[in-house]
C-alpha cells in the first residue's frame, strides 16, 4: 500500500511536469521553480514519511512545502530577470542616443570647418 501511494505521488508530479512541458510555451522561471520544488519536496517528503510510516502524507506535505518554496525562489529569480532585461534595454537605448549625438557633433564640426 505504501509503495502505491509513493508511486502515485511521483507519477502525479511527473504528469504535472509533462503537461506543463507540452503546453507549447516554455516554462517561466517561476513555473520551473514551483515544479522543481514540488518534485524535490515530494520525493524528500516520501522518504521521510516512509521512515515514520506515512510516505503518502510525507510526499503530500513535502510536495506542498516544496512547491511553495520553489514558487518563492522562482518568483524572485524571474523578477530579477525582468529587472535585468529592463536595465539592458535602457543601456542599449542610451548607447544609441550617445551614438546619434556623436554623429551630430561630427556633422556640426564639419559644417563649422567648411564655413
Amino acid at each position: 500500500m505504501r509503495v502505491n501511494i509513493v508511486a502515485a505521488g511521483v507519477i502525479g508530479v511527473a504528469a504535472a511536469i509533462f503537461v506543463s512541458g507540452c503546453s507549447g510555451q516554455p516554462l517561466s522561471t517561476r513555473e520551473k521553480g514551483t515544479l522543481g520544488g514540488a518534485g524535490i519536496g515530494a520525493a524528500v517528503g516520501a522518504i521521510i514519511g516512509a521512515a515514520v510510516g506515512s510516505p503518502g502524507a510525507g510526499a503530500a506535505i513535502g510536495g506542498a512545502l516544496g512547491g511553495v518554496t520553489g514558487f518563492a525562489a522562482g518568483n524572485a529569480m524571474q523578477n530579477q530577470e525582468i529587472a535585468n532585461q529592463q536595465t539592458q534595454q535602457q543601456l542599449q537605448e542610451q548607447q544609441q542616443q550617445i551614438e546619434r549625438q556623436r554623429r551630430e557633433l561630427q556633422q556640426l564640426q564639419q559644417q563649422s570647418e567648411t564655413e
Side-chain angles (χ1 to χ4, degrees):
M1 178 80 173
R2 291 180 188 166
V3 174
N4 290 340
I5 293 172
V6 173
V10 170
I11 290 171
V13 171
I17 293 170
F18 178 75
V19 168
S20 296
C22 293
S23 67
Q25 296 180 9
L27 294 176
S28 69
T29 302
R30 183 180 301 122
E31 292 167 339
K32 289 176 187 175
T34 302
L35 289 173
I40 292 170
V44 171
I47 292 169
I48 294 171
V52 296
S54 298
I61 293 168
L65 291 176
V68 169
T69 303
F71 173 81
N75 189 48
M77 290 172 60
Q78 185 166 338
N79 289 341
Q80 185 63 44
E81 287 174 1
I82 291 169
N84 287 342
Q85 289 172 351
Q86 290 172 343
T87 301
Q88 281 298 107
Q89 183 178 359
Q90 289 173 347
L91 283 172
Q92 288 175 349
E93 289 172 1
Q94 289 173 353
Q95 287 173 341
Q96 290 172 350
Q97 185 176 14
I98 289 170
E99 188 57 36
R100 276 193 305 271
Q101 290 175 350
R102 185 175 292 138
R103 285 192 306 267
E104 288 175 11
L105 279 173
Q106 287 175 346
Q107 288 174 351
L108 288 172
Q109 286 174 345
Q110 288 174 354
Q111 286 176 353
S112 68
E113 289 173 1
T114 58
E115 293 177 356

